[in-house]
Amino acid sequence: MGGVDTNRRALLLAIMVCFGGFVFGLDAALVSGTKAYVMRDLGADAIGFGYAVSAPGLGVVFALMVTGFVCDRLGRRTTLLIIGWLYLISAVGAVFSQTLWQLVAFRFLGGLAFASLSVSSMYVGEIAPPAKRGLLVAVNQLNIVVGLFAAYLANYFIQGWVADGAPIAAATGMDRYTWQWMLAVQIPPSILWILFLLKIPESPRWLLLKGRREEAAAVMRQLAPAGEVERSVAEIEAMVKAERAGNSGRSEGTWQSLARMFSPTIIRATIIGLVIASVQPTTGINAIMFYAPYVIEQSGVGADASFLVPVVNGVFSIIATSLALVFIDRIGRRTILLGGLAVAAVSLLACSLSFATATYRLEAPRIAALPVEIERASLAPVVGVTFDNDVAFKQALNGAIGRDVAERHEAELLKAATSINLWAVLIGIAAFVAAFQFSIGPIMWVILAEIFPTGVRGVAIPACALLTALINYFVQQLFPWQLVSFGAASVFGTYALCVTIGFVVLWRMLPETKGRSIEEIAATLAMKKEPA
């Protein structure tokens, strides 16, 4: 029974720590529904709105530069508490922003908290027993997709109440402060996560790194059966001592740890970590998830459906991530990762081909259904003209009715004009999202939590997360510009190519890590070849 109890305690701690993933999902996706309202109230264009969406991506870049130092100096628990407060302050500040740049600034502050993903994975990886590590680390990803789903659902209801003139919208001020209500959804969960973090213990591995053996043993007694506590503590302690001896007994700083990531015994782990950290964001997942309604609008389904489809995709994400939790410690990391990347590449390619063969033509009968703000006479130059791609169509609209009007009513104009294989796009996006959430979404954090030895983990995991954050920032920031300049077919095609390259590289390099201790994995990766 002791083993069952300790596994339950480890699961409970993982859920409490990984609730930050739920807060992250809310922070990341709630802004996706605010596009039309922010553009209206704060005078932003699509590119300006892109700054608000991508600001957290820039914030986390700066955060991850110091996350390793803070984690190793203050501990995992204290670092998580700092992150929790950043989420809360950012959410409150964003709600009360009066200008676009105030919104961008508070979103940037929230981005400093996005380091929670790497720190949570690090913490859970250090408290979890090897047989359950994949499951417990992947709880973080499940919380993220549940947070994304909750954000899309909240936006769907708020947008629907406002559009329908529901009494609740007038009574609560949603009709006047729509985007503020959307962003405020994050505030209560942020407070709850802080309360959770006050209840968790410090990581036993970090305590041993600091020479606090008795405290580490006390924590391990909560996480491991009584007969295994001393063995687990001794094993970790021996690994720490061996690493320090290999470094001539000196305590390493951040830069020394970074340099040692490229030493002969760790270089293979470093390459795998950097590759998977690059592949995950270049799938384009954050562009598709953070701009969800905007992405769906491009297929011509209209504004209402563009809020509903992400909710449906959110359900697929939860199912896929739940399946990943079930199979991650049974099938193994490598098989799930490579299978998911293959499906993702095919799905993105299907979307690209669908947009490449789409046509755009405004006919007179459909113009009557457009919003009254669009002058019918000004549309005359584009009526009855067939455009072979979305870029040419949007440019023609900008010239006819003005860029501001065209961008504010892009969903309605695309709905009236687009002829496309809609099901191929919707199914392709849904399949891509599900494949990502089943594979590289949770698997990346599991692998990063497994492949690096204890002595460099506090720096190596944030370093890989920093690379992911840098690429994610550019993916998010450039997405509106790419869409306007090159079109949806080019954007989806680029993502498909990146996924394919990632599949090939990881297929050649990535070993299976299922069921091995962190110390065993480190020893295996120190070899030149994977043993048969």
Side-chain angles (χ1 to χ4, degrees):
M1 290 297 293
V4 174
D5 291 340
T6 53
N7 284 340
R8 286 176 179 170
R9 280 192 285 272
L11 177 59
L12 178 60
L13 287 176
I15 291 172
M16 294 169 70
V17 170
C18 292
F19 188 73
F22 178 83
V23 179
F24 167 86
L26 288 175
D27 193 305
L30 284 169
V31 72
S32 69
T34 67
K35 175 175 174 280
Y37 307 105
V38 167
M39 291 174 69
R40 179 194 67 193
D41 294 346
L42 301 183
D45 58 13
I47 305 299
F49 178 70
Y51 287 119
V53 173
S54 62
L58 184 60
V60 73
V61 169
F62 287 93
L64 288 172
M65 290 180 181
V66 298
T67 296
F69 172 80
V70 175
C71 279
D72 284 345
R73 182 61 60 90
L74 301 181
R76 293 21 169 174
R77 179 180 181 271
T78 301
T79 304
L80 286 168
L81 277 168
I82 293 171
I83 287 169
W85 281 104
L86 286 173
Y87 270 130
L88 180 58
I89 296 169
S90 166
V92 173
V95 168
F96 289 99
S97 295
Q98 300 298 307
T99 68
L100 174 65
W101 295 112
Q102 286 179 8
L103 178 62
V104 169
F106 280 109
R107 295 274 300 156
F108 173 87
L109 184 65
L112 299 177
F114 279 18
S116 63
L117 299 186
S118 63
V119 181
S120 296
S121 297
M122 182 191 307
Y123 179 93
V124 175
E126 292 179 352
I127 66 167
K132 298 291 183 181
R133 190 190 309 114
L135 170 66
L136 297 184
V137 174
V139 167
N140 204 31
Q141 187 67 22
L142 179 60
N143 278 330
I144 292 172
V145 297
V146 173
L148 292 169
F149 171 74
Y152 297 141
L153 193 63
N155 285 347
Y156 173 71
F157 279 112
I158 293 173
Q159 188 270 344
W161 288 331
V162 171
D164 296 341
I168 189 175
T172 60
M174 283 183 191
D175 53 350
R176 301 184 304 279
Y177 305 105
T178 309
W179 63 267
Q180 291 93 333
W181 266 97
M182 289 178 175
L183 298 182
V185 171
Q186 180 190 336
I187 295 175
S190 297
I191 296 172
L192 182 59
W193 191 43
I194 292 172
L195 296 177
F196 282 162
L197 294 176
L198 292 172
K199 300 292 185 181
I200 68 170
E202 183 53 84
S203 160
R205 290 179 185 272
W206 181 80
L207 291 170
L208 284 171
L209 279 171
K210 297 301 179 181
R212 294 156 63 174
R213 194 179 195 281
E214 291 304 316
E215 294 175 64
V219 175
M220 287 300 293
R221 279 192 283 272
Q222 302 176 43
L223 303 172
E228 298 181 13
V229 171
E230 188 58 35
R231 182 187 61 80
S232 299
V233 170
E235 183 180 68
I236 300 169
E237 199 170 36
M239 188 71 177
V240 170
K241 288 180 179 178
E243 289 173 353
R244 285 176 175 168
N247 193 45
S248 303
R250 293 190 302 271
S251 177
E252 291 185 330
T254 300
W255 291 109
Q256 288 81 5
S257 294
L258 281 171
R260 199 154 67 84
M261 287 173 60
F262 297 91
S263 65
T265 57
I266 305 178
I267 184 64
R268 185 179 174 194
T270 299
I271 293 173
I272 292 171
L274 294 177
V275 169
I276 198 170
S278 301
V279 172
Q280 202 237 42
T282 53
T283 61
I285 186 64
N286 278 9
I288 291 173
M289 300 298 280
F290 294 6
Y291 291 93
Y294 187 29
V295 172
I296 302 300
E297 282 177 9
Q298 306 307 308
S299 63
V301 298
D304 292 341
S306 72
F307 276 84
L308 177 60
V309 171
V311 175
V312 176
N313 285 344
V315 174
F316 291 142
S317 293
I318 293 173
I319 294 172
T321 307
S322 299
L323 290 174
L325 264 65
V326 171
F327 292 109
I328 196 168
D329 286 317
R330 300 181 184 181
I331 297 177
R333 289 56 154 150
R334 175 183 164 86
T335 301
I336 291 177
L337 176 62
L338 296 179
L341 288 178
V343 173
V346 173
S347 302
L348 290 167
L349 182 60
C351 292
S352 177
L353 293 175
S354 297
F355 280 109
T357 56
T359 58
Y360 304 82
R361 182 183 177 91
L362 271 178
E363 298 288 2
R366 292 195 172 188
I367 293 178
L370 293 174
V372 295
E373 293 84 356
I374 300 175
E375 293 185 9
R376 273 46 175 180
S378 299
L379 283 172
V382 297
V383 174
V385 179
T386 301
F387 297 89
D388 293 332
N389 61 78
D390 52 340
V391 175
F393 177 63
K394 291 175 184 178
Q395 289 175 344
L397 289 174
N398 291 344
I401 60 177
R403 180 178 174 180
D404 289 344
V405 175
E407 288 186 343
R408 280 201 304 271
H409 300 288
E410 186 173 285
E412 293 90 348
L413 290 163
L414 286 171
K415 183 178 181 180
T418 305
S419 176
I420 193 173
N421 187 341
L422 180 60
W423 285 109
V425 174
L426 296 182
I427 293 173
I429 291 175
F432 163 71
V433 170
F436 179 93
Q437 303 296 6
F438 181 72
S439 60
I440 195 168
I443 292 292
M444 183 183 89
W445 299 110
V446 173
I447 290 176
L448 292 182
E450 291 180 328
I451 60 176
F452 293 108
T454 302
V456 298
R457 289 164 59 77
V459 169
I461 295 177
C464 291
L466 173 60
L467 178 61
T468 298
L470 275 168
I471 298 173
N472 263 331
Y473 169 71
F474 287 109
V475 168
Q476 295 167 47
Q477 179 59 51
L478 294 176
F479 176 75
W481 172 78
Q482 286 179 298
L483 203 57
V484 169
S485 302
F486 303 107
S490 176
V491 172
F492 280 100
T494 300
Y495 296 156
L497 178 61
C498 291
V499 173
T500 302
I501 293 172
F503 172 88
V504 173
V505 174
L506 291 172
W507 176 73
R508 292 180 61 87
M509 294 195 65
L510 181 66
E512 183 54 69
T513 58
K514 179 186 72 171
R516 300 180 182 181
S517 70
I518 291 173
E519 289 71 30
E520 289 173 339
I521 295 168
T524 298
L525 291 175
M527 302 176 185
K528 292 184 178 180
K529 293 184 179 180
E530 172 75 1

